[in-house]
Amino acid sequence: MKKTTIKDIARELNVSTSTVSRALRDSYEIGAETKQRVLELAQRLDYTPDPVALSLLSSHSNDIGVIVPDISNPFFALVIAGIEDVAFAQGYHVVIYQSHDNYEREVMNVRHIANRRKDGMLVSLATGTQDYAHFKSLHDQGFPIVFFDRICDEIDTHKVSVDDFEGAYQATEHLIKQGCKTIAHISGPPNLLISRRRLHGYRSALLDYKIPIMEDIIMSSEYNSQEALVITRRLLSGSVKVDGIFASSDNIAIGSHAAITEAGLSMPHDIALIGFSDLPITGLLNPALSTVAQPAFEMGRSAAELLINLIKNPKNDRISISNVLRTGLVIRESSLRIQ
Amino acid sequence: MKKTTIKDIARELNVSTSTVSRALRDSYEIGAETKQRVLELAQRLDYTPDPVALSLLSSHSNDIGVIVPDISNPFFALVIAGIEDVAFAQGYHVVIYQSHDNYEREVMNVRHIANRRKDGMLVSLATGTQDYAHFKSLHDQGFPIVFFDRICDEIDTHKVSVDDFEGAYQATEHLIKQGCKTIAHISGPPNLLISRRRLHGYRSALLDYKIPIMEDIIMSSEYNSQEALVITRRLLSGSVKVDGIFASSDNIAIGSHAAITEAGLSMPHDIALIGFSDLPITGLLNPALSTVAQPAFEMGRSAAELLINLIKNPKNDRISISNVLRTGLVIRESSLRIQ
DNA sequence: ATGAAAGCGCTAACAG
DNA sequence: CTGTTAGCGCTTTCAT
C-alpha cells in the first residue's frame, strides 16, 4: 500500500495528470464536474502532495530552520515555542538544529538548511563562532536569515534581542541598593555580544554609583551551571570578600547558588545573588533566585514574524529591523535584604 | 550565483550528465582522465549534490526524525545528544520534533517525517497519545521505527527503556531503610507505561517490607515542576503526615522540593525526598536531590543503533529487540538520614 | 476545458 | 568507456 500519487488518480479517472493537478489546486479553468470527481477520489485515496517533489520543483519547502546552541537550555526551548507558535499559524514547519556551541556543527547545520531548501532560518550564534562567512554568502544570495538573542553585528539582517545593557544595569543597581559594597560579576564567553553588553551594564552601574571596579572579581564562564560552579568556588576562595554577585545568566547563577550554599554562606545576607533570564527553575530554588526577566517566548514570536515577512517579501531586503525587547527585574529571596 | 548542478559540469566539459554522475560516484567504468577532470571542476565550482533531488529519486534522505515530548527536558536533551552521537558517525542527520505532549502534534510530526522521506524515526510518546494508528500503518509498511523511554507496547518493533520497576523499587526501598514510615508517591500520568511501572515498583517495595499502602498519598502529576509543586502542596496539607516522598521524575521532585521548603519542613529530617532520572540540576539543589540515575545518553545511543540497523537491514523486521538499561541509585542529602 | 511535453537535479538501465 | 533515455512526483507553458 504505497502512497497515492497524482498519476494514480489520473489513471483511475481517465484524465491527464495536469487535469488532476489543476483540479486539486482549484484552477478556475476546470469543469465543475471533473473537479468534483477528482477531489472525491483524492479524498478517498487519502492523497497528499509529495513535499519532496514540490521542493524540487519550486525550491522551497515550507520549512524554516532554527539553530540554537543547546535545546536543553529552557531559554531556547521557550524561544522555540514562540517561534513554533507563529510559524505554525502561518503554515510553516520548524526544524530544530543544535550547534552545541561548536562552530563546525553550526556550519554543517547552515549547509543542511540551505541544501534542503528551507525557506529561511533563525539563528542564535554558537559560542565558538568567530567567522560569519557561512551566513554571509547565503545572505548575499538573498536567503532569509534572522538572528535572535546571540545576534551577529556583521550581517545586515533582521535581529531580535533584549536590552542586555539595561537589564544588567538594573540588576547591578538593585544589588547596590540592597547595600552590597563588593559586587562580583560572572560573565559569559567574551566573544558573545550579549556577554559584553551585560558586562558593560554592570560596569556602568558601578561607575554611576561611584563604586570602584575590581577586575579581580570579574570572572568569565561558559553559559552552564557546571562550569559556573567551579568558577564561583574560585571566586569565593579568592582574597577579595564579595557580598554580591551578578551572574550573566541563570544557568551561571545556578552554579553560583550551589557554590555559595556549599561554602556555608547565606543568601542574601552574606552574598546577594542575581541572574539573568528568569528560567522556570529559578523560582523553585532555595532560596529563590532573583533574576532579570527576558521575554523569551515573545522573542521567538518576533523573530519568526520577521523571518516570515522576509520570506514573503524578499524586496524588503534593504531595511533591517532590530527589535530590542525590554527586560524586567524579578526580585526574589536570593537578593532581597531590605524588605 | 546559483548552485552548480551536474549539468553545469557536463556542459563545461562537453560530456553527458551521466558521465559526470558516474565520475562523481567514482564508478569503475570511467576513464581515469575524465574522472580527474570532472572531480577537479566539481571541486572548483563547489559542487554538492542536491539532497532533494536525491530524495525524490531514491526515497530516502539520510535524515532520521526524533520525536520527543519536550526538548527543554534535560533528560530528552541528553537522549538526543546520544542519538546524534551515533547518527552523526554513521552519516545521518537528526531532525528534532516536539510533540508538546499533544496527540495531534505527534500525528503531524509523524506525517512530516514520513512525507519528507526520512529514513526512520525514534520516538518517545506524548502523554496524550492513546491511539497508535499513526505508527501502526507506517510500521506495517515497513517504515523503521524505534521507541525509547516512553515506549509503546502495541507496536512490535525495537524499544529501549530502563528498568523502571527496578529503579522505583530501589528508590522506595532506600527511603524505607532510611527509616521512613509513611512514604508518598507522586506518579506521572497514568497512561504512560513508565508511570505505571514506577508506581508498580513503589507498591511492590512497600508490600515486601510490609508497609501498608495508602491510596490517599499516591498522587499523580504531569511530568513538570510547576504542576508537581501544586500537587505536593496538596499532599502536605492533607490529613496524612508523610515522612518520605518518591517522585516519579526529577522534574516532579523539583516541584516537591520547592513545596517542602516552602512549608518550612526540612529535608531529609521531616521528609526524605527522592526523584528519578538524575538530571544535571539535581546535584545543585539545596539540599541536593537524591535520585535514580537513568543512562539517558546511552539510551539515545542504543536507540539510534537499533534504528540504523533497522534501516540498513529491513529484513530483520521480525525479531524485535527490547533493550532494557539498568538504573542506579544516587543518594544525596535530600534523603540521607543515616550516614 | 483538457492533454502533451518539458523540466526541477539526479541516477540507472540500456545501448553503443 | 560514454551517451541516450526514462523516470522519481509534480506544475506549467503551450497546444488543441
Coordinates of all heavy atoms in Angstrom, one line a residue, chain B residues 15-16 18-19 22 29 31 34 56-57, chain D residues 1-10:
Chain B
V15 N 30.7 16.7 -21.8 CA 30.3 15.3 -21.7 C 28.9 15.2 -21.2 O 28.2 16.2 -21.1 CB 31.2 14.6 -20.6 CG1 32.7 14.6 -21.0 CG2 31.0 15.3 -19.2
S16 N 28.4 14.0 -21.1 CA 27.0 13.9 -20.7 C 26.9 13.9 -19.2 O 27.8 13.7 -18.5 CB 26.4 12.6 -21.2 OG 26.9 11.5 -20.4
S18 N 25.4 11.9 -17.3 CA 25.6 10.6 -16.7 C 27.1 10.3 -16.5 O 27.5 9.7 -15.5 CB 25.0 9.5 -17.5 OG 25.0 9.8 -18.9
T19 N 27.9 10.8 -17.4 CA 29.3 10.6 -17.2 C 29.8 11.4 -15.9 O 30.5 10.8 -15.1 CB 30.1 11.2 -18.4 OG1 29.6 10.6 -19.6 CG2 31.6 11.0 -18.2
R22 N 28.6 9.5 -12.9 CA 29.4 8.3 -12.6 C 30.8 8.7 -12.1 O 31.3 8.0 -11.2 CB 29.5 7.5 -13.9 CG 28.3 6.7 -14.1 CD 28.5 5.7 -15.3 NE 28.2 6.4 -16.5 CZ 27.2 6.1 -17.4 NH1 26.4 5.1 -17.1 NH2 27.1 6.7 -18.5
E29 N 33.9 2.2 -14.2 CA 33.9 2.2 -15.7 C 34.0 3.6 -16.2 O 33.3 4.0 -17.1 CB 32.7 1.5 -16.2 CG 31.4 1.9 -15.5 CD 30.2 1.4 -16.1 OE1 30.2 0.6 -17.1 OE2 29.1 1.9 -15.7
G31 N 36.9 6.6 -17.5 CA 38.3 6.9 -17.8 C 39.0 7.7 -16.8 O 38.4 8.7 -16.3
T34 N 39.0 11.5 -17.6 CA 37.7 12.1 -17.5 C 37.4 12.3 -16.0 O 37.0 13.4 -15.6 CB 36.7 11.2 -18.1 OG1 37.2 10.6 -19.3 CG2 35.4 12.1 -18.4
L56 N 14.0 12.5 -3.9 CA 12.9 12.2 -4.9 C 13.2 10.9 -5.6 O 12.3 10.1 -5.8 CB 12.7 13.4 -5.9 CG 11.6 13.2 -6.8 CD1 10.2 13.1 -6.1 CD2 11.5 14.4 -7.8
L57 N 14.4 10.8 -5.9 CA 14.8 9.6 -6.7 C 14.8 8.3 -5.9 O 14.3 7.3 -6.4 CB 16.2 9.9 -7.3 CG 16.8 9.2 -8.4 CD1 15.8 9.3 -9.6 CD2 18.1 9.7 -8.8
Chain D
dC1 P 38.6 1.8 -19.3 OP1 39.4 2.4 -18.2 OP2 37.4 1.0 -18.9 O5' 38.1 3.1 -20.2 C5' 37.2 4.0 -19.6 C4' 36.4 4.5 -20.7 O4' 35.5 3.3 -21.1 C3' 35.4 5.6 -20.4 O3' 35.7 6.7 -21.2 C2' 34.0 5.1 -20.7 C1' 34.3 3.9 -21.6 N1 33.3 2.8 -21.4 C2 32.2 2.7 -22.4 O2 32.2 3.6 -23.3 N3 31.3 1.7 -22.3 C4 31.4 0.8 -21.3 N4 30.5 -0.1 -21.2 C5 32.5 0.8 -20.3 C6 33.4 1.8 -20.5
dT2 P 35.4 8.1 -20.7 OP1 36.2 9.1 -21.5 OP2 35.3 8.1 -19.3 O5' 33.9 8.3 -21.3 C5' 33.7 8.5 -22.7 C4' 32.3 8.3 -23.1 O4' 31.8 7.0 -22.7 C3' 31.3 9.3 -22.5 O3' 30.8 10.1 -23.6 C2' 30.2 8.4 -21.9 C1' 30.4 7.1 -22.6 N1 30.0 5.9 -21.9 C2 28.9 5.2 -22.4 O2 28.3 5.5 -23.4 N3 28.5 4.1 -21.7 C4 29.1 3.6 -20.5 O4 28.6 2.7 -19.9 C5 30.2 4.4 -20.0 C7 30.9 4.0 -18.7 C6 30.6 5.5 -20.7
dG3 P 30.1 11.5 -23.2 OP1 30.8 12.5 -23.9 OP2 29.8 11.5 -21.8 O5' 28.7 11.2 -24.0 C5' 28.7 10.8 -25.3 C4' 27.4 10.1 -25.7 O4' 27.2 8.9 -24.9 C3' 26.2 11.0 -25.3 O3' 25.3 11.0 -26.5 C2' 25.5 10.3 -24.2 C1' 25.9 8.8 -24.4 N9 26.0 8.0 -23.2 C8 26.8 8.2 -22.1 N7 26.7 7.3 -21.1 C5 25.7 6.5 -21.6 C6 25.1 5.4 -21.0 O6 25.3 4.8 -20.0 N1 24.1 4.8 -21.8 C2 23.7 5.3 -23.1 N2 22.8 4.7 -23.7 N3 24.3 6.4 -23.6 C4 25.2 6.9 -22.9
dT4 P 24.0 11.9 -26.5 OP1 23.9 12.6 -27.8 OP2 24.1 12.7 -25.2 O5' 22.8 10.8 -26.3 C5' 22.9 9.6 -27.0 C4' 21.6 8.8 -26.8 O4' 21.8 8.0 -25.6 C3' 20.4 9.7 -26.6 O3' 19.3 9.1 -27.2 C2' 20.3 9.7 -25.0 C1' 20.7 8.3 -24.7 N1 21.2 8.1 -23.3 C2 20.8 7.0 -22.6 O2 20.0 6.2 -23.0 N3 21.4 6.9 -21.3 C4 22.3 7.8 -20.8 O4 22.8 7.6 -19.7 C5 22.7 8.9 -21.6 C7 23.7 9.9 -21.1 C6 22.2 9.0 -22.8
dT5 P 17.9 9.7 -27.1 OP1 17.1 9.3 -28.3 OP2 18.0 11.2 -26.7 O5' 17.3 8.9 -25.8 C5' 17.3 7.5 -25.8 C4' 16.4 7.0 -24.7 O4' 17.2 7.0 -23.5 C3' 15.2 7.8 -24.4 O3' 14.1 6.9 -24.2 C2' 15.5 8.6 -23.1 C1' 16.5 7.6 -22.4 N1 17.5 8.2 -21.5 C2 18.0 7.5 -20.4 O2 17.6 6.4 -20.1 N3 18.9 8.1 -19.6 C4 19.4 9.4 -19.9 O4 20.3 9.8 -19.1 C5 18.9 10.1 -21.0 C7 19.5 11.5 -21.3 C6 18.0 9.5 -21.8
dA6 P 12.6 7.4 -24.0 OP1 11.8 6.6 -24.8 OP2 12.6 8.9 -24.1 O5' 12.4 7.0 -22.4 C5' 12.9 5.7 -22.0 C4' 12.8 5.7 -20.5 O4' 13.9 6.4 -19.8 C3' 11.5 6.4 -19.9 O3' 11.0 5.6 -18.9 C2' 12.0 7.7 -19.4 C1' 13.4 7.3 -18.9 N9 14.4 8.4 -18.7 C8 14.5 9.5 -19.6 N7 15.5 10.3 -19.2 C5 16.0 9.7 -18.1 C6 17.1 10.0 -17.2 N6 17.9 11.1 -17.4 N1 17.4 9.2 -16.2 C2 16.6 8.1 -16.0 N3 15.6 7.6 -16.8 C4 15.4 8.5 -17.8
dG7 P 9.5 5.8 -18.5 OP1 8.8 4.4 -18.5 OP2 8.9 6.9 -19.2 O5' 9.7 6.2 -16.9 C5' 10.6 5.4 -16.1 C4' 10.9 6.3 -14.9 O4' 11.9 7.2 -15.2 C3' 9.7 7.1 -14.4 O3' 9.6 6.9 -13.0 C2' 10.1 8.5 -14.7 C1' 11.6 8.4 -14.6 N9 12.4 9.5 -15.2 C8 12.0 10.2 -16.4 N7 12.9 11.1 -16.7 C5 13.9 11.1 -15.7 C6 15.0 11.8 -15.4 O6 15.5 12.7 -16.1 N1 15.7 11.4 -14.3 C2 15.3 10.4 -13.5 N2 16.1 10.1 -12.4 N3 14.2 9.6 -13.7 C4 13.5 10.0 -14.8
dC8 P 8.1 7.1 -12.3 OP1 7.4 5.8 -12.4 OP2 7.5 8.3 -13.0 O5' 8.5 7.5 -10.8 C5' 9.5 6.9 -10.1 C4' 10.0 7.9 -9.1 O4' 11.1 8.6 -9.7 C3' 9.0 8.9 -8.7 O3' 8.3 8.5 -7.5 C2' 9.8 10.2 -8.5 C1' 11.1 9.9 -9.2 N1 11.5 10.8 -10.4 C2 12.7 11.5 -10.4 O2 13.5 11.3 -9.4 N3 13.0 12.2 -11.4 C4 12.1 12.4 -12.4 N4 12.5 13.2 -13.5 C5 10.9 11.7 -12.4 C6 10.6 10.9 -11.4
dG9 P 6.8 8.4 -7.4 OP1 6.5 7.8 -6.1 OP2 6.2 7.8 -8.6 O5' 6.3 10.0 -7.4 C5' 6.5 10.7 -6.2 C4' 6.0 12.1 -6.5 O4' 6.8 12.7 -7.5 C3' 4.6 12.2 -6.9 O3' 3.9 13.2 -6.1 C2' 4.7 12.7 -8.4 C1' 6.0 13.4 -8.4 N9 6.7 13.5 -9.6 C8 6.7 12.5 -10.6 N7 7.5 12.8 -11.6 C5 8.0 14.0 -11.3 C6 8.9 14.9 -12.1 O6 9.4 14.6 -13.2 N1 9.2 16.1 -11.4 C2 8.7 16.4 -10.2 N2 9.0 17.6 -9.7 N3 7.8 15.6 -9.5 C4 7.5 14.5 -10.1
dC10 P 2.5 13.7 -6.4 OP1 1.8 14.1 -5.2 OP2 1.8 12.8 -7.4 O5' 2.8 15.0 -7.2 C5' 3.4 16.1 -6.5 C4' 3.8 17.2 -7.4 O4' 4.6 16.6 -8.5 C3' 2.7 17.9 -8.2 O3' 2.4 19.1 -7.5 C2' 3.2 18.2 -9.5 C1' 4.6 17.5 -9.6 N1 4.8 16.7 -10.8 C2 5.7 17.2 -11.8 O2 6.2 18.4 -11.6 N3 5.9 16.6 -12.9 C4 5.4 15.4 -13.1 N4 5.7 14.7 -14.2 C5 4.5 14.8 -12.1 C6 4.3 15.5 -11.0

